[in-house]
Amino acid sequence: MELFDVYPLFDIAIDKGKGCRVWDDKGQKYLDLYGGHAVISIGHSHPHYVEAITKQVNKLGFYSNSVQNPLQKELATRLGKVSGYEDYQLFLINSGAEANENAMKLASFYNGRTRILSMEKAFHGRTSLAVEATNNPKIIAPINDNGHVTYLPINDLPAWQEEIEKGDVCAVIIECIQGVGGIRLVTKEFLQGLRELCDKHNTVLICDEIQCGYGRSGKFFAHQHLNVRPDIITVAKGICNGFPMGGVLISPKFKPIYGQLGTTFGGNHLGCAGALAVLDVIEQEQLVENAAKVGAYLIDTLTAEMQAGNLPHVIDVRGEGLMIGIELDIPYKEPRTRLIKEQHCFTGCSGTNVIRLLPPLCLTMDEAKDFIERFKKALA
């Protein structure tokens, strides 16, 4: 049997990692400014995380959700405290797509409606409804194209108001910093306006914090820069530093019903142990504050270098914390390939001409300076 060939791959096999560095199977070291799609939050192979995972799997890796799991309750308490959502409820699943799927399902149970509003260039996952809310027709199969979703421009409040006021909108789903969409930021006025409209028309406001959340923006959640509390918040990626896990933070206005939602693997013992270790490290090493500080340095320095003419082809730098988009006036393929092959530095990408930086939140100032020098050489 061969692999189902759906991924265009670099001819590199990563063998190990430590902090913000990874090594391939030939021993070549790389600076990691991508973190495996923003998944590595506390750094590769953090000793506290490794110890917690090892200790738990030696004790019990998995049992079903038909019995008590005190680790789930501990995680809910800890996550509520660190995020500022102690009054919310937590439902644990396996991935970001599954988190968004359950969030929209819960919204539909709540108000009985079936229409979703999503942003142009949105990405919310590849499961049935999540992929329909993703603005990419190439990945929406005919069986998923059911007319549930209306895509609207980012930050165009009148357009969203017109749709919400029709009275049939189940939920609005928003990435406050779009990832796949090119690191585009929602404005405070827009999100606060949506909050008011959703309250008025009994529409559920969902913030997809799968990529922009868990400290990446320099606050625990990106929407906290905008002074809005969503009805539902979805998380994944950085929640367990590489172990598959996702979660839905649910407002007290939603009342749980036995059997309404469910999962086999979600909230398993091993995942909870890893997620608790991630929160330990985030708090003890002040990684949210580090993301704000080092991210601001990267954005300010890259912007200054661009304005000084020292970064050929760079036309915009945008983002928040350690979620940064560098827009080029040429396709990203050649400079990104040179970064990897010649400068030994991993980055992400978006669209056709945006290089995306999503490093572990432990990125140091020296590593940020190192990246800028490598980036200059790749563009030269």
Side-chain angles (χ1 to χ4, degrees), residues 175-245:
E175 300 164 90
C176 290
I177 307 173
Q178 286 190 307
V180 174
I183 315 298
R184 301 191 306 159
L185 280 68
V186 162
T187 65
K188 182 181 291 188
E189 294 74 19
F190 175 70
L191 193 63
Q192 290 182 353
L194 279 185
R195 176 71 279 176
E196 292 177 10
L197 287 165
C198 288
D199 288 339
K200 183 177 179 181
H201 296 279
N202 199 32
T203 296
V204 176
L205 177 59
I206 302 169
C207 276
D208 176 342
E209 292 274 354
I210 289 157
Q211 189 170 132
C212 60
Y214 244 81
R216 180 156 297 281
S217 74
K219 290 186 180 290
F220 197 84
F221 290 129
H223 68 260
Q224 290 171 326
H225 290 278
L226 310 175
N227 298 328
V228 165
R229 284 172 69 87
D231 299 308
I232 300 177
I233 304 160
T234 56
V235 296
K237 293 194 183 290
I239 188 175
C240 203
N241 204 51
F243 188 91
M245 196 175 202

Side-chain angles (χ1 to χ4, degrees), residues 49-62 71 269-271 273:
Y49 174 81
V50 172
E51 181 184 9
I53 289 279
T54 303
K55 182 179 179 180
Q56 183 61 46
V57 78
N58 279 327
K59 183 180 178 184
L60 178 69
F62 175 83
L71 292 172
H269 294 74
L270 190 55

Side-chain angles (χ1 to χ4, degrees), residues 28-59:
Q28 177 62 57
K29 182 167 69 171
Y30 299 79
L31 179 62
D32 185 10
L33 266 287
Y34 193 45
H37 297 301
V39 166
I40 302 301
S41 50
I42 61 172
H44 296 279
S45 302
H46 193 288
H48 180 65
Y49 174 81
V50 172
E51 181 184 9
I53 289 279
T54 303
K55 182 179 179 180
Q56 183 61 46
V57 78
N58 279 327
K59 183 180 178 184

Side-chain angles (χ1 to χ4, degrees), residues 72-353:
Q72 289 186 359
K73 294 183 177 181
E74 184 182 354
L75 177 56
T77 299
R78 291 278 307 281
L79 179 55
K81 184 176 179 180
V82 73
S83 68
Y85 283 93
E86 292 179 270
D87 58 331
Y88 276 44
Q89 306 155 93
L90 179 64
F91 179 65
L92 292 166
I93 56 284
N94 310 291
S95 69
E98 196 177 346
N100 285 332
E101 193 82 18
N102 279 281
M104 289 184 279
K105 182 189 294 186
L106 193 59
S108 187
F109 277 131
Y110 171 74
N111 58 27
R113 301 172 190 167
T114 60
R115 192 157 73 100
I116 303 292
L117 300 186
S118 178
M119 287 197 294
E120 293 173 357
K121 299 188 177 182
F123 187 94
H124 297 295
R126 294 176 180 266
T127 53
S128 180
L129 184 54
V131 80
E132 195 177 353
T134 292
N135 189 203
N136 182 355
K138 293 180 180 179
I139 66 171
I140 301 174
I143 199 169
N144 304 126
D145 193 7
N146 295 312
H148 292 121
V149 181
T150 304
Y151 308 112
L152 297 171
I154 189 172
N155 295 327
D156 185 353
L157 187 60
W160 293 70
Q161 180 175 352
E162 182 179 347
E163 295 299 323
I164 293 171
E165 287 181 344
K166 292 177 181 179
D168 66 339
V169 176
C170 165
V172 168
I173 186 165
I174 297 289
E175 300 164 90
C176 290
I177 307 173
Q178 286 190 307
V180 174
I183 315 298
R184 301 191 306 159
L185 280 68
V186 162
T187 65
K188 182 181 291 188
E189 294 74 19
F190 175 70
L191 193 63
Q192 290 182 353
L194 279 185
R195 176 71 279 176
E196 292 177 10
L197 287 165
C198 288
D199 288 339
K200 183 177 179 181
H201 296 279
N202 199 32
T203 296
V204 176
L205 177 59
I206 302 169
C207 276
D208 176 342
E209 292 274 354
I210 289 157
Q211 189 170 132
C212 60
Y214 244 81
R216 180 156 297 281
S217 74
K219 290 186 180 290
F220 197 84
F221 290 129
H223 68 260
Q224 290 171 326
H225 290 278
L226 310 175
N227 298 328
V228 165
R229 284 172 69 87
D231 299 308
I232 300 177
I233 304 160
T234 56
V235 296
K237 293 194 183 290
I239 188 175
C240 203
N241 204 51
F243 188 91
M245 196 175 202
V248 187
L249 282 69
I250 304 162
S251 162
K253 77 181 187 182
F254 297 88
K255 304 304 178 187
I257 299 170
Y258 284 159
Q260 188 179 56
L261 304 179
T263 172
T264 296
F265 295 104
N268 63 72
H269 294 74
L270 190 55
C272 286
L276 285 165
V278 166
L279 289 178
D280 289 341
V281 176
I282 284 175
E283 292 184 287
Q284 291 166 11
E285 299 185 7
Q286 300 181 308
L287 293 189
V288 179
E289 295 81 357
N290 187 70
K293 181 180 71 174
V294 179
Y297 170 80
L298 275 169
I299 292 169
D300 291 348
T301 304
L302 287 167
T303 300
E305 294 282 4
M306 174 189 70
Q307 292 170 345
N310 297 328
L311 296 176
H313 301 295
V314 175
I315 59 174
D316 191 26
V317 178
R318 55 183 179 264
E320 195 82 64
L322 288 175
M323 187 170 183
I324 300 169
I326 303 170
E327 186 171 348
L328 309 175
D329 62 6
I330 57 172
Y332 64 70
K333 184 176 180 180
E334 183 179 344
R336 184 181 180 222
T337 300
R338 291 180 67 184
L339 267 170
I340 294 172
K341 297 284 183 131
E342 298 173 14
Q343 299 304 316
H344 305 122
C345 178
F346 280 104
T347 65
C349 57
S350 175
T352 58
N353 65 327

Side-chain angles (χ1 to χ4, degrees), residues 63-77:
Y63 205 75
S64 82
N65 284 307
S66 62
V67 297
Q68 294 283 329
N69 181 352
L71 292 172
Q72 289 186 359
K73 294 183 177 181
E74 184 182 354
L75 177 56
T77 299

